[in-house]
Amino acid sequence: MLQLENVHVSYGPIKAVRGVSLEVKGGEIVALLGPNGAGKTSLVSSVVGLAPTSAGKIRLDGADITGEPTERIVTRGITLTPEGRRVFADLTVGENLQLGAACRKDRDGVAEDLETYLELFPILRKRYAARARMLSGGEQQMLAIARSLMSRPKMLMLDEPSLGLAPRVVDQIFELLHGLRSKGLTMLLVEQNANEALELADSAYVIASGSLVFGGKAADLKASGEVMEMYLGLEGH
Ligand code: ATP
């Protein structure tokens, strides 16, 4: 579904991503891991045109989307939930969710999806009329994810959904992601929380200093002591 071929991302003289190639197949969950500052956010931002791709090609379902404006890429069916739980704080939970579907014209489909996600995220049903700013950090993250899903993307990219959340809340977020996985959603997941991400993912890529140091099956990464230890600070098993 998504193919990156030798992608470079530069901010003036700063080379954040140096020639990364990766693939996400339909129905697959792919984890993108690596230490702080490795270039993960830059890479997913470049896919949706929010960071400058200075070289390389990005293809979605075979179509070259490199350098297209963000709005057009999102219309093609790929959505990024950025780091930091960006929700519209002064709008209600319901309004945030409806805004996620603003680009859609199939009203019946929107109502159906709303019901699906309120079922999957019961806390959002409970807090439907509350302003988003009244929600806890974990609830805001759930809202940010559900809002992205309301655009009915073919593929969802999540940038560090568990960042800054208490361990119990991190577990809830991963439980949700497992729920989405069982619905067949295609996902590219950026995570610091490598162990949890590898439980969920089919395949994984590890980047360090802008370059790929691993690409393959999640199970193979777990078994690879060297990469786990050197780049993720974990013991392989
Ligand atoms: P983190 O886990 O800390 O979010 P990351 O792996 O997502 O890190 P990036 O945020 O993509 O990494 O950053 C990669 C490099 O690019 C870093 O050196 C960072 O300082 C730099 N960088 C990121 N965004 C910009 C920007 N807008 N302008 C200049 N440099 C940037």
Side-chain angles (χ1 to χ4, degrees):
M1 179 176 286
L2 177 73
Q3 282 159 322
L4 270 59
E5 227 174 76
N6 199 23
V7 167
H8 291 250
V9 179
S10 303
Y11 306 99
I14 300 167
K15 294 185 186 347
V17 177
R18 306 157 185 253
V20 168
S21 299
L22 64 79
E23 186 175 10
V24 182
K25 299 196 181 99
E28 197 182 35
I29 312 250
V30 174
L32 180 59
L33 311 171
N36 271 332
K40 305 179 298 296
T41 297
S42 300
L43 193 62
V44 289
S45 302
S46 74
V47 171
V48 287
L50 290 172
T53 307
S54 47
K57 285 259 170 293
I58 303 174
R59 290 197 178 82
L60 185 65
D61 290 332
D64 185 355
I65 60 165
T66 327
E68 272 191 2
T70 303
E71 212 180 283
R72 193 133 105 230
I73 297 172
V74 172
T75 316
R76 285 179 183 273
I78 183 159
T79 302
L80 170 67
T81 308
E83 197 177 300
R85 318 191 266 280
R86 311 241 179 92
V87 292
F88 297 105
D90 290 329
L91 299 183
T92 65
V93 167
E95 286 164 345
N96 268 277
L97 291 172
Q98 294 290 351
L99 267 180
C103 56
R104 292 174 60 181
K105 297 194 171 61
D106 57 325
R107 291 178 71 185
D108 291 350
V110 171
E112 198 180 291
D113 285 356
L114 184 62
E115 193 44 43
T116 302
Y117 295 123
L118 291 178
E119 195 73 35
L120 198 64
F121 302 71
I123 189 68
L124 299 183
R125 192 190 298 278
K126 210 163 140 199
R127 312 292 311 268
Y128 195 79
R131 298 212 183 276
R133 85 159 94 85
M134 304 305 284
L135 305 186
S136 69
E139 290 164 358
Q140 287 188 16
Q141 183 58 270
M142 290 178 199
L143 177 57
I145 297 172
R147 192 185 57 195
S148 296
L149 290 167
M150 284 301 294
S151 69
R152 201 179 265 193
K154 283 192 258 189
M155 182 180 159
L156 179 66
M157 297 193 295
L158 289 172
D159 194 358
E160 308 227 18
S162 71
L163 191 73
L165 299 176
R168 184 181 48 85
V169 185
V170 171
D171 289 347
Q172 286 172 0
I173 297 284
F174 274 98
E175 222 172 275
L176 261 173
L177 298 182
H178 278 275
L180 291 175
R181 177 200 161 100
S182 64
K183 292 196 178 298
L185 191 76
T186 308
M187 220 186 301
L188 178 60
L189 173 66
V190 174
E191 259 301 331
Q192 288 279 335
N193 212 323
N195 273 333
E196 295 256 33
L198 290 175
E199 284 300 311
L200 183 73
D202 302 292
S203 46
Y205 292 86
V206 180
I207 57 174
S209 305
S211 303
L212 269 189
V213 293
F214 177 90
K217 290 195 178 120
D220 291 343
L221 175 56
K222 269 195 263 181
S224 148
E226 198 188 338
V227 181
M228 291 290 277
E229 220 176 291
M230 205 148 140
Y231 299 103
L232 305 173
L234 297 168
E235 277 178 36
H237 46 82

